[in-house]
């Protein structure tokens, strides 16, 4: 959603939105739970969304601390199955995230890689059995023993009904 306009995966503006095809979430609709988050450019990070960042690259938490996180506004999920896709970069200073739907943990992901790794997708499934309204929260909750920091570097958040 962008000023009452919805953008499909190909970048076309559509209105009104189709019922749960693909929600490409806006960074400006996120609330920072903790930390300082900034954009940095990196042309090698090619899986990115104009709704999340202005050009190839990622948003990341410069504070690099446990508890750094972001949360969506409340989203209405009709009963069904949803894939939550967080695209980003792995590296030796990346942390582990925990992803929540409301207060329910739907998974964790370790972004540590020994060398810069572009276009990683952390995929999670959320399957409410009844219509529900939940915010999706992404929190840095730890780090790999080999990691030097607690950074999350993300270039999109997409939610797709499967």
């Amino acid at each position: 959603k962008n000023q009452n306009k919805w953008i499909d995966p190909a970048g076309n503006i559509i209105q009104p939105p189709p019922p749960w095809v693909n929600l490409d979430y806006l960074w400006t609709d996120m609330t920072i739970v903790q930390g300082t988050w900034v954009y940095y450019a990196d042309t090698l990070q090619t899986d990115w969304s104009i709704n999340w960042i202005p050009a190839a690259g990622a948003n990341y938490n410069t504070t690099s601390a446990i508890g750094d996180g972001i949360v969506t506004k409340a989203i209405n999920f009709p009963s069904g199955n949803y894939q939550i896709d967080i695209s980003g970069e792995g590296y030796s200073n990346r942390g582990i995230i925990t992803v929540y739907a409301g207060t329910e943990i739907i998974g964790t992901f370790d972004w540590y890689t020994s060398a810069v790794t572009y276009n990683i997708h952390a995929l999670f499934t959320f399957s409410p059995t009844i219509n529900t309204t939940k915010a999706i929260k992404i929190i840095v909750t730890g780090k790999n023993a080999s990691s030097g920091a607690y950074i999350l570097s993300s270039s999109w958040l997409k939610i797709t009904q499967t």
Side-chain angles (χ1 to χ4, degrees):
K1 184 174 179 237
N2 187 357
Q3 299 173 339
N4 297 322
K5 297 176 184 171
W6 292 76
I7 301 172
D8 70 13
N12 302 306
I13 296 174
I14 51 177
Q15 193 171 358
W20 272 107
V21 174
N22 186 352
L23 177 60
D24 186 356
Y25 216 81
L26 290 169
W27 178 260
T28 54
D29 283 343
M30 300 299 288
T31 298
I32 294 172
V33 174
Q34 177 181 301
T36 301
W37 296 76
V38 298
Y39 163 76
Y40 72 94
D42 189 333
T43 57
L44 297 176
Q45 176 62 25
T46 57
D47 283 351
W48 61 279
S49 170
I50 193 70
N51 289 335
W52 197 254
I53 52 179
N59 288 324
Y60 78 103
N61 55 322
T62 60
T63 41
S64 179
I66 290 177
D68 285 356
I70 50 180
V71 64
T72 68
K73 294 180 180 179
I75 300 169
N76 180 32
F77 291 94
S79 63
N81 298 310
Y82 298 87
Q83 180 179 67
I84 297 167
D85 179 356
I86 303 167
S87 176
E89 299 175 9
Y91 192 45
S92 62
N93 63 354
R94 302 301 193 249
I96 296 171
I97 60 168
T98 299
V99 179
Y100 301 82
T103 58
E104 175 188 344
I105 295 174
I106 57 174
T108 62
F109 189 82
D110 186 347
W111 288 90
Y112 171 83
T113 58
S114 59
V116 176
T117 306
Y118 297 99
N119 306 316
I120 295 175
H121 292 266
L123 302 174
F124 305 90
T125 301
F126 176 54
S127 301
T129 57
I130 60 170
N131 295 351
T132 188
T133 301
K134 303 279 184 184
I136 301 299
K137 185 168 49 173
I138 305 164
I139 304 291
V140 177
T141 52
K143 69 178 186 70
N144 184 296
S146 298
S147 180
Y150 298 89
I151 293 174
L152 167 60
S153 175
S154 63
S155 56
W156 81 32
L157 169 64
K158 292 186 179 185
I159 304 170
T160 306
Q161 188 173 28
T162 57

